[in-house]
């Protein structure tokens, strides 16, 4: 099977390109500000929003989220954009518009607004605001806001993510990576403008409070997942008197340096994958059983893919990306991963017709593809979809990394790592996370040449007047290990940790029946806390409700970024 691979330019060409991009960034138009057209707003949505949020700014113009020309029914989701300053220290300066979605409460007289963030950094929130259970959505107006630099809130725009290289063997390889990172970062500055230096989590927290004020709320209730736990911690520290209640689910460590955070998550993923391999080895029906040694089979397959061909190198990346499902969904994703790996391990896989390879990569392995792929793989003139003019490549291992907002937010939030820190991190992941650690180090290294200075605050929450905050984590979370949630609890003035026996990343809701009250230990505790402010008991541990063998439970609808970060 033929692959289309771009020729890598020389370091001199890349450096010249970086200088050109930096020069262009000084004169380019600022693309961060987006304008909302009043012609897209309709009176019906304004009436619904006014009924759900009677204290909100009357100048806000609301619309049906899916079809601005359609009259929404009472209770349907409505959207708006809210103008905010790019720099809160310069409120009269440049602005952007924040995309906001409100799911009106299902019952009259709601408790207030429940703000949600479902992770990233770099993931949209607006499409996910309506995924919480009815026991919550009936009592709260659920508010989702795309963070600045993300989605519809002035998306950060960049060039390609630099290729990773080994940082330790020679200075030349390291310098080549620095040059590539400079090209990428320069493209971000050129294409994004002033917003690039203002996308840090502190400013996103200020945006939440800006939206809170526009919606006429004195306090907010907050649910944050993954990266959303870091955002919640910053909001709590900056605006403690405006927090009614807060749940942080799949919690990261708010005090850890960027490199340490990535290393901890890479090690968590390695442990999660080892658990999958152990269970597969013990089950003769596992599709990747490999005569009882799937670990050796995986490592041998990866070594084979890395043995020298361009196609093999790309499939080695597939092997790194495929296990991401178990890092977020835990045991229910084991069967799919086993079938994916078994398909990749078939003799001669890389030489199969392109359409068969795509069926495995996009189907069994559930990975996104680069480019549009063949327009019609069934075309009799091109039965293998192997048109030489096709802009198709296999596969995108890290779609989130293609989003400049991921790097922009991380580089804004943390002190710039040093070469020594990166080399120490690479040595640690080589020993403790040999399969999944390289991407963590490379992502942190992108910040070495970032064109805007860091602005974040990586400290414990010290603000006075906060209510008790609830933190949730599973025992074997592959994205945010339990130890990081314990550190989040230690960083908060008053918090309760609920530990769930399992490997899902983000636990709430654990089990929500279609009818009747919640049954799961976790769901009861969280709903009682959010609705009635009833604190969960200290040391609460929960488990998944028993179910028939082979009948995996439905999992929370959450973004599932395929990357070695907190997602």
């Amino acid at each position: 099977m033929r692959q289309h691979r771009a020729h890598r330019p020389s370091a001199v060409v890349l450096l010249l390109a970086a200088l050109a991009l930096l020069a262009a960034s000084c004169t380019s138009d600022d693309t961060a500000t987006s304008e909302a057209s009043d012609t897209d707003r309709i009176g019906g949505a304004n009436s619904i929003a006014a009924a759900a949020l009677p204290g909100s700014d009357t100048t806000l113009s609301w619309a049906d989220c899916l079809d601005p020309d359609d009259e929404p029914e009472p209770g349907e989701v409505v959207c708006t954009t809210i103008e905010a300053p790019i720099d809160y220290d310069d409120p009269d300066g440049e602005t952007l518009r924040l995309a906001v979605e409100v799911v009106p409460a299902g019952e009259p007289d709601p408790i207030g607004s429940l703000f949600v963030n479902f992770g990233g950094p770099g993931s949209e929130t607006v499409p996910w605001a309506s995924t919480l259970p009815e026991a919550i959505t009936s009592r709260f107006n659920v508010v989702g806001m795309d963070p600045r630099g993300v989605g519809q809130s002035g998306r950060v725009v960049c060039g390609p993510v630099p290729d990773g290289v080994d940082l330790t063997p020679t200075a030349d390889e390291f310098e080549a990576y620095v040059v590539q990172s400079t090209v990428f970062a320069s493209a971000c500055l050129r294409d994004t403008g002033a917003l690039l230096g203002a996308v840090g989590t502190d400013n996103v927290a200020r945006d939440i409070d800006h939206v809170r004020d526009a919606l006429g709320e004195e306090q907010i209730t907050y649910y944050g997942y993954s990266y959303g736990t870091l955002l919640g911690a910053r909001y709590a520290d900056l605006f403690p008197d405006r927090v009614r209640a807060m749940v942080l689910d799949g919690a990261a460590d708010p005090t850890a340096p960027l490199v340490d955070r990535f290393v901890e998550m890479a090690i968590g993923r390695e442990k999660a994958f080892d658990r999958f391999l152990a269970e597969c080895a013990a089950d003769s029906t596992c599709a990747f059983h490999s005569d009882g040694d799937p670990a050796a089979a995986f490592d041998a397959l990866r070594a084979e893919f890395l043995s020298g061909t361009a196609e093999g190198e790309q499939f080695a990346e597939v092997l790194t990306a495929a296990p991401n499902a178990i890092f977020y969904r835990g045991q229910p994703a084991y069967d799919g991963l086993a079938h994916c790996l078994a398909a990749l391990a078939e003799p001669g896989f890389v030489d199969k017709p392109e359409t068969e390879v795509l069926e495995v990569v996009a189907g069994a392995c559930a990975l996104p593809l680069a480019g549009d792929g063949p327009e019609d793989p069934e075309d009799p003139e091109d039965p293998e979809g192997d048109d030489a003019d096709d802009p198709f490549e296999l596969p995108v291992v890290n779609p989130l990394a293609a989003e400049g907002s991921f790097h922009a937010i991380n580089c804004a939030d943390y002190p710039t790592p040093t070469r020594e820190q990166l080399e120490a991190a690479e040595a640690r992941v080589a020993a403790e996370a040999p399969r999944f650690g390289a991407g963590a180090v490379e992502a942190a290294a992108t910040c070495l040449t970032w064109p805007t200075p860091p602005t974040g605050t990586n400290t414990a929450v010290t603000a006075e007047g906060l209510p008790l905050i609830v933190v949730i984590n599973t025992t074997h979370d592959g994205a945010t290990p339990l130890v990081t949630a314990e550190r989040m609890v230690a960083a908060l003035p008053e918090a309760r940790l609920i530990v769930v026996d399992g490997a899902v990343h983000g636990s709430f809701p654990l089990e929500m029946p279609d009818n009747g009250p919640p049954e799961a230990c976790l769901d009861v505790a969280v709903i009682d806390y959010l609705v009635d402010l009833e604190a969960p008991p200290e040391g609460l541990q929960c488990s998944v409700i028993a179910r028939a063998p082979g009948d995996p439970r439905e999992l929370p609808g959450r973004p599932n970024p395929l990357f070695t970060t907190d997602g």
Side-chain angles (χ1 to χ4, degrees):
M1 188 191 75
R2 177 185 43 75
Q3 296 294 311
H4 306 277
R5 295 175 63 84
H7 173 69
R8 179 181 295 182
S10 69
V12 172
V13 173
L14 286 167
L15 183 57
L16 291 174
L19 293 174
L21 287 169
L22 283 169
S25 70
C26 297
T27 58
S28 64
D29 292 334
D30 178 18
T31 60
T33 303
S34 61
E35 297 297 334
S37 171
D38 287 338
T39 61
D40 288 342
R41 310 305 181 195
I42 57 176
N46 283 330
S47 300
I48 291 172
L53 300 157
S56 65
D57 187 338
T58 56
T59 65
L60 294 180
S61 189
W62 297 85
D64 183 299
C65 295
L66 298 179
D67 186 355
D69 297 323
D70 188 22
E71 184 84 9
E73 297 294 329
E76 287 189 352
V77 183
V78 292
C79 290
T80 191
T81 60
I82 296 176
E83 189 174 26
I86 289 179
D87 181 356
Y88 278 92
D89 291 331
D90 183 17
D92 297 323
E94 292 182 82
T95 63
L96 77 158
R97 300 198 72 89
L98 302 169
V100 177
E101 171 186 280
V102 174
V103 184
E107 297 180 3
D109 300 321
I111 294 169
S113 290
L114 171 68
F115 280 66
V116 294
N117 180 279
F118 293 126
S123 294
E124 297 174 72
T125 293
V126 164
W128 299 92
S130 58
T131 62
L132 292 171
E134 190 272 340
I136 296 297
T137 58
S138 65
R139 303 300 306 277
F140 292 94
N141 297 315
V142 181
V143 180
M145 178 195 78
D146 280 356
R148 57 172 54 206
V150 177
Q152 301 173 64
S153 294
R155 181 187 294 274
V156 170
V157 181
C158 297
V161 175
D163 292 336
V165 298
D166 186 357
L167 300 179
T168 52
T170 68
D172 289 343
E173 286 189 353
F174 179 79
E175 294 306 324
Y177 186 87
V178 170
V179 172
Q180 291 180 44
S181 296
T182 303
V183 172
F184 169 69
S186 301
C188 295
L189 184 60
R190 177 203 63 191
D191 296 339
T192 305
L195 178 61
L196 188 69
V199 295
T201 299
D202 282 13
N203 274 337
V204 180
R206 295 184 181 100
D207 289 339
I208 289 177
D209 202 61
H210 184 70
V211 172
R212 172 204 59 78
D213 183 64
L215 298 183
E217 299 281 18
E218 292 186 6
Q219 291 186 311
I220 68 167
T221 303
Y222 180 86
Y223 170 86
Y225 157 82
S226 200
Y227 162 77
T229 66
L230 298 174
L231 174 58
R234 292 307 305 138
Y235 185 85
D237 209 21
L238 291 170
F239 306 103
D241 58 326
R242 291 162 196 171
V243 178
R244 172 188 171 271
M246 180 174 287
V247 172
L248 307 178
D249 189 1
D253 178 359
T255 65
L258 180 65
V259 176
D260 291 356
R261 187 162 67 86
F262 282 179
V263 167
E264 290 282 359
M265 287 183 282
I267 293 171
R269 280 161 164 71
E270 194 81 21
K271 291 179 178 178
F273 189 64
D274 285 342
R275 283 190 296 275
F276 158 76
L277 292 172
E279 185 162 318
C280 187
D283 180 3
S284 61
T285 66
C286 174
F288 193 60
H289 184 253
S290 307
D291 295 324
D293 198 353
F298 180 90
D299 293 337
L301 184 61
R302 187 169 183 270
E304 177 187 341
F305 284 162
L306 289 174
S307 61
T309 67
E311 290 88 350
E313 290 177 5
Q314 288 200 330
F315 285 109
E317 294 177 343
V318 174
L319 285 179
T320 300
N324 275 285
I326 68 170
F327 302 151
Y328 289 87
R329 299 183 60 233
Q331 192 174 24
Y334 280 8
D335 186 62
L337 175 58
H339 281 88
C340 164
L341 297 179
L344 293 173
E346 289 184 8
F349 177 78
V350 296
D351 297 320
K352 288 179 178 293
E354 188 171 88
T355 50
E356 293 184 26
V357 171
L358 296 186
E359 185 177 350
V360 172
V361 174
C365 297
L367 293 176
L369 302 172
D372 296 326
E375 289 188 9
D376 184 6
E378 303 299 328
D379 186 344
E381 298 297 322
D382 186 16
E384 294 183 3
D386 201 13
D387 186 346
D389 295 328
D390 249 326
F392 175 79
E393 284 190 15
L394 264 181
V396 174
V397 171
N398 183 359
L400 239 187
E403 297 286 343
S405 53
F406 169 81
H407 295 289
I409 295 168
N410 279 322
C411 295
D413 280 353
Y414 296 90
T416 303
T418 65
R419 176 175 179 174
E420 290 73 24
Q421 288 175 319
L422 293 169
E423 290 176 345
E426 187 169 58
R428 186 180 175 196
V429 296
E432 300 183 55
R435 300 182 182 102
F436 303 106
V441 179
E442 290 164 7
T446 305
C447 296
L448 284 170
T449 57
W450 203 252
T452 56
T455 58
T457 306
N458 305 114
T459 60
V461 175
T462 58
E464 297 181 354
L466 277 167
L468 178 141
I469 293 174
V470 171
V471 179
I472 308 168
N473 224 81
T474 56
T475 51
H476 301 298
D477 190 327
T480 51
L482 180 58
V483 65
T484 65
E486 293 169 342
R487 292 172 187 159
M488 172 65 84
V489 170
L492 295 169
E494 186 178 8
R496 294 277 171 86
L497 176 62
I498 303 176
V499 177
V500 180
D501 182 20
V504 177
H505 178 50
S507 307
F508 178 76
L510 192 61
E511 287 275 359
M512 191 59 63
D514 293 334
N515 299 298
E519 299 174 6
C521 155
L522 173 69
D523 299 342
V524 171
V526 171
I527 291 170
D528 286 349
Y529 167 73
L530 289 176
V531 172
D532 299 320
L533 299 180
E534 180 180 330
E538 292 190 34
L540 181 61
Q541 296 188 12
C542 298
S543 60
V544 178
I545 291 177
R547 61 185 186 277
D551 180 24
R553 65 182 176 85
E554 289 298 316
L555 296 164
R558 300 285 184 270
N560 185 9
L562 303 179
F563 192 55
T564 51
T565 67
D566 50 329

